[in-house]
Structure formats: C-alpha cells, structure tokens
Amino acid sequence: MYNEFVRFVRELYNTDDFIPLHAPRFIGKEEEYLLETIDSTYVSSVGEYVNRFEDIVSDYTGSKYAIATMNGTSALHVSLLLAGVQHNDEVITQSLTFIATCNAIRYCNAEPVFVDVDRETLGMSPSGLSDFLTENAEVGDDDLCRNRYTGNIIRACVPMNTFGHPVDINSIKSLCDKYHITLVEDAAESLGSFNNDVHTGTTGKLSALSFNGNKIITTGGGGMVLTNEEFIAKRARHITTTAKKKHRWEYEHDDTAYNYRMPNLNAALGLAQMESLESFILNKRNIAKLYSEWCSENGVTFVKEAENTKSNYWLNAFLLDDRMQRDDFLEHTNSYSVMTRPAWTPMHKLTMNKQCLSGELKNTEYLVDRLVNVPSSVVLND
Ligand SMILES: *Cc1c(COP(=O)(O)O)cnc(C)c1O
C-alpha cells in the first residue's frame, strides 16, 4: 500500500522531485501587483491594496467587515480581545488544533479549556461541548457564564475548521447562545469552505483567517479579522494600528494597542491570490476526489466533507488502522520524498497545557493515532 501511494502521488504531481505537503501557486497577477506596489512606494501599512484585499475577502465570505492583519495569530488575538476575553477567563477550544489557537488565548492571559472533536468533521464536537457545559457551567444573574468549580468566567468558545472541513457551527452557536458565551471562530484553514452556503467564520461574533505560506491562499504572512458588527470592526481597525486617533499631523493614541496591520506589499499578493481562489478550490476538490477513489481501492479511510458542507479540502487527510500503521506510513512516504505529516500533538499533551481543564477527549486521541495529511498543493497542468 505504501509503495502504491508513493506512485500515485508522483503520478498526480507528475514529478520525481520532492513533493511538499502544500506549496503556494502564483498563476495570476501577483508580479504585476507587487511591482505596482513598489513603484507606488506604498509598501507598508498604508495603501490601496490593503483596502482592495479587504473588500474582495469581505465580498467573497459575505462578512460585512474584514480587517487585514500581519498574520492569523494576531487576527485571533484581536478577535479574542474584542470578544472581551481577559485575565483569568476560561476560553473553550478543541484540543485538536494548531498551537496558534491556544497561544492567542494565552496572550489574553486567559486559560484554554479543551473539548473533544467529532470524527466526521474533525472540528469541535457539539456533544462534547454540551457535556462540558452541563457539568461545569452556570449562567449567573449578571448574565455571565461561570465555571461553577473554579468561579472563573467562561468568556468565549473557539471552534476550528480542521484542514478546511467546516465544523458543525450551528449546533455550537446554539450552545454558546444558551450559555451566554461569545463565539469566535478559528477559520484560519477554511477560506472557501461553507456550511449550508454560509462561509465558515461568519456565524460567530468574530473570526480569524490566515494567509500564511502553507494556507489555501497566501500573502507571505497575513491574516484577517471577520465580523458583521460595525463597532467591532472599527475597534479592530483601531487596535491593530496603534490606537492612533485620526488627525492630519498630531500623534495621539487613546489606548495601548498593537502594530498588527498587514503591509500593502502582502495585500498586493493577497489580492492576486484571491482572484485565483475559485480555481484553486475546484482543483483541490478534484484532488480530493482522486484521493478518495484511491483510498476506497486500497482500504484506507478518506476524510470527507460532512453533509451539508462544502470543504476547500485545504489538506487532505487519511485515517489509518492504528498508530503503528500511521508511523510506518509516515516513515515510508517521507523517506521517498513524498511529504506527509501526522496531526498536531493535541494541545492537552503539551507541557504548558498539562494543568488545563478538559472534557473527554476520546475522538481526539483516536484521530491523532490514525490521521495523516497527504500532499495537497494545487496541481499545475501545463
Ligand atoms: C495557520 C493557523 C493559524 C494562524 O495563522 P498564522 O498566520 O500562521 O499566524 C491559526 N490557527 C490555525 C488552526 C491555523 O492553521
């Protein structure tokens, strides 16, 4: 099976060279826009492309507002701050995620709390969340949700759309509403993924996208805060640009804030990439179809998009029989220069998170033992 797989991927990408997990593709107006930016001298955080990039993302996702930041982690940090997350708060997220989700919670001096994921979506499990809340949460007379054992406020909940697959956001939203918890979505991996025609990251109060080099589109480094609320959007813009008050010459700042704005150079790349997004998604959904067929012929479980969702299939994932087979697969494919990777070490296993509260994490453990990501770059046909 391992040799079969290596042969299959080599044929798919039509190369004998090293095959990465996810390489960016620049097939549009990237160079033109970048050169224009350099010629204009507006390479930094003021410039046309930042606005145009924000507009195109806001149009595409249906989010009323989009605020570009220098990376996805800073977009998440700002989202959590604007959700009101503060010192000693608890923020619920999934253990199966990239470290950035957790780091952003820590930057607010809050404590991450881990709940399980579903095997179908790979994203936060509504029943896992519900079980945790039933056991631990109570809403007080002040309308705040508290952990009845620690006394801390459970301020926000951050589900993540794993490898681009949409999480069951509507069930999670209902629970958050019931318990007065603010929903913030980590949509870093899911630009182009929809839940019943609703773009991921547009259901909660705020969400974060990432345009890191390995994501479905890239700005080199970059991120975006999405929100439908005007006041939040204004605050996001303000605190990502050092809280400087508008004035023709005075330097006046009304808060200790951040320099998180995306530079115009990066936005120029982003605009060109957005113009290719639809073709990237078609291409990637076709790769997913080919992998899915290969999997059914070879007795491997392919992770498919859940019902009523459309995934961007950012990173394709297989589930192998057990941890031993997973390790053999990783060993074999990587030694033949076909890059494959396991899931992240789950957050609850990392040393700095050993003390964190969590629900049952059975599916997380199950998936981490079996999951591998396989090469998923857009296939260039020339
Ligand atoms: C990529 C990613 C981020 C953060 O993005 P950066 O742009 O690298 O800071 C956050 N969360 C998840 C789940 C990601 O995959």
Side-chain angles (χ1 to χ4, degrees):
M1 183 268 274
Y2 307 135
N3 285 328
E4 272 302 311
F5 178 76
V6 167
R7 211 172 309 135
F8 179 81
V9 179
R10 292 219 164 278
E11 209 163 289
L12 176 64
Y13 286 99
N14 192 23
T15 177
D16 293 327
D17 299 339
F18 169 73
I19 299 175
L21 203 59
H22 200 283
R25 301 295 192 213
F26 304 114
I27 56 167
K29 295 187 173 163
E30 283 83 358
E31 287 191 18
E32 181 187 326
Y33 292 167
L34 280 172
L35 290 175
E36 227 172 87
T37 312
I38 293 166
D39 287 342
S40 77
T41 74
Y42 286 95
V43 294
S44 197
S45 49
V46 175
E48 256 319 283
Y49 281 112
V50 180
N51 302 332
R52 287 177 67 188
F53 184 47
E54 288 178 342
D55 288 346
I56 196 172
V57 172
S58 137
D59 279 352
Y60 180 84
T61 58
S63 174
K64 253 189 177 156
Y65 304 97
I67 300 94
T69 60
M70 64 183 195
N71 56 42
T73 310
S74 57
L76 262 178
H77 182 199
V78 165
S79 297
L80 290 169
L81 288 172
L82 294 179
V85 175
Q86 47 188 285
H87 188 65
N88 281 341
D89 284 352
E90 291 173 12
V91 176
I92 301 175
T93 189
Q94 57 201 61
S95 181
L96 185 71
T97 187
F98 178 55
I99 187 71
T101 321
C102 243
N103 285 342
I105 295 168
R106 298 271 192 205
Y107 298 162
C108 301
N109 297 307
E111 282 289 316
V113 172
F114 303 115
V115 297
D116 212 358
V117 291
D118 275 339
R119 290 195 197 178
E120 298 72 46
T121 64
L122 311 180
M124 185 180 283
S125 159
S127 63
L129 175 62
S130 175
D131 288 349
F132 181 86
L133 292 172
T134 308
E135 208 177 304
N136 298 282
E138 59 191 4
V139 180
D141 294 336
D142 54 4
D143 270 356
L144 293 171
C145 180
R146 283 190 177 74
N147 183 318
R148 64 166 70 99
Y149 300 107
T150 63
N152 293 331
I153 296 170
I154 303 176
R155 188 81 62 177
C157 174
V158 190
M160 196 275 280
N161 301 281
T162 310
F163 308 135
H165 296 313
V167 66
D168 181 359
I169 198 66
N170 295 322
S171 306
I172 293 170
K173 173 81 161 57
S174 304
L175 285 164
C176 287
D177 287 349
K178 178 175 163 196
Y179 282 91
H180 299 244
I181 297 170
T182 304
L183 177 58
V184 175
E185 298 175 70
D186 185 339
E189 306 182 352
S190 62
L191 178 66
S193 299
F194 296 80
N195 217 309
N196 287 312
D197 297 330
V198 176
H199 195 279
T200 50
T202 60
T203 302
K205 196 181 186 75
L206 292 133
S207 77
L209 304 178
S210 167
F211 311 111
N212 188 28
N214 62 352
K215 296 293 176 4
I216 189 161
I217 67 159
T218 186
T219 56
M224 193 90 79
V225 176
L226 301 182
T227 180
N228 285 316
E229 294 179 37
E230 186 184 5
F231 173 75
I232 299 262
K234 280 192 174 145
R235 284 295 300 165
R237 224 170 271 291
H238 194 58
I239 69 168
T240 51
T241 52
T242 67
K244 185 182 177 301
K245 289 169 89 174
K246 262 214 160 91
H247 191 280
R248 281 160 62 213
W249 53 79
E250 296 290 356
Y251 293 100
E252 220 184 297
H253 306 261
D254 59 13
D255 208 344
T256 303
Y258 302 90
N259 178 16
Y260 277 178
R261 192 78 170 138
M262 176 184 284
N264 204 37
L265 260 180
N266 301 75
L269 197 62
L271 178 64
Q273 287 269 288
M274 269 310 282
E275 292 168 355
S276 297
L277 178 61
E278 222 31 70
S279 78
F280 287 173
I281 291 169
L282 282 173
N283 193 301
K284 289 170 79 71
R285 288 181 62 82
N286 188 50
I287 297 170
K289 189 168 149 275
L290 297 172
Y291 273 136
S292 154
E293 287 163 7
W294 184 88
C295 280
S296 53
E297 282 163 23
N298 289 273
V300 174
T301 304
F302 178 74
V303 180
K304 286 200 267 308
E305 62 195 355
E307 235 175 279
N308 300 321
T309 71
K310 183 185 170 207
S311 175
N312 66 4
Y313 282 101
W314 168 55
L315 283 187
N316 289 283
F318 297 176
L319 297 182
L320 300 173
D321 290 346
D322 50 30
R323 198 171 183 107
M324 212 164 75
Q325 196 187 37
R326 181 200 86 158
D327 291 343
D328 286 348
F329 182 91
L330 292 167
E331 180 61 47
H332 189 92
T333 49
N334 284 290
S335 63
Y336 281 90
S337 298
V338 170
M339 186 170 168
T340 58
R341 285 291 180 265
W344 309 279
T345 300
M347 295 301 108
H348 70 284
K349 290 275 175 72
L350 299 177
T351 44
M352 66 283 197
N353 294 334
K354 285 269 162 67
Q355 306 300 320
C356 289
L357 300 172
S358 69
E360 255 202 23
L361 299 169
K362 275 195 195 142
N363 293 336
T364 303
E365 307 267 0
Y366 177 93
L367 290 167
V368 168
D369 279 344
R370 291 164 179 79
L371 192 142
V372 289
N373 286 124
V374 297
S376 300
S377 315
V378 164
V379 171
L380 298 169
N381 25 17
D382 39 15

